[in-house]
Amino acid sequence: MEYIYAALLLHNAEKDITEEAVTAVLTAAGVDVNESRAKALVAALEDVDIAEAMATAAVAAAPAAAPVAAAAPAEEEAPAEEEKAEEEESGMAGLGALFG
């Protein structure tokens, strides 16, 4: 992840994302740099518009961040003792089929 963070930092600073720049950022952060990973990252990002990719990702993530509907009253949240016992029994019946 730190390699991607380095690329995002360089993008945010409006610098070119090169192997040397990624290596410099990671070295400054105290990370032992794997040259092949830095090279692979730069190659993978060569034709990517990072600003567009971030905007697309933000739009896709927005529905997941939407507020959840109000929770049901506490009485309805916990199933009755009877229902719990039935669920456990039905689960055990399925396991028995594995060995039968």
Side-chain angles (χ1 to χ4, degrees), residues 16-70:
D16 290 332
I17 301 173
T18 63
E19 292 175 49
E20 295 80 22
V22 170
T23 301
V25 169
L26 292 172
T27 302
V31 175
D32 292 328
V33 180
N34 181 332
E35 296 297 326
S36 61
R37 287 183 71 187
K39 186 175 189 173
L41 174 70
V42 171
L45 293 176
E46 187 173 320
D47 296 326
V48 175
D49 182 1
I50 295 175
E52 181 181 327
M54 288 173 50
T56 304
V59 170
V68 181

Side-chain angles (χ1 to χ4, degrees), residues 64-81:
V68 181
E75 295 175 329
E76 295 178 21
E77 286 181 17
E81 296 280 332

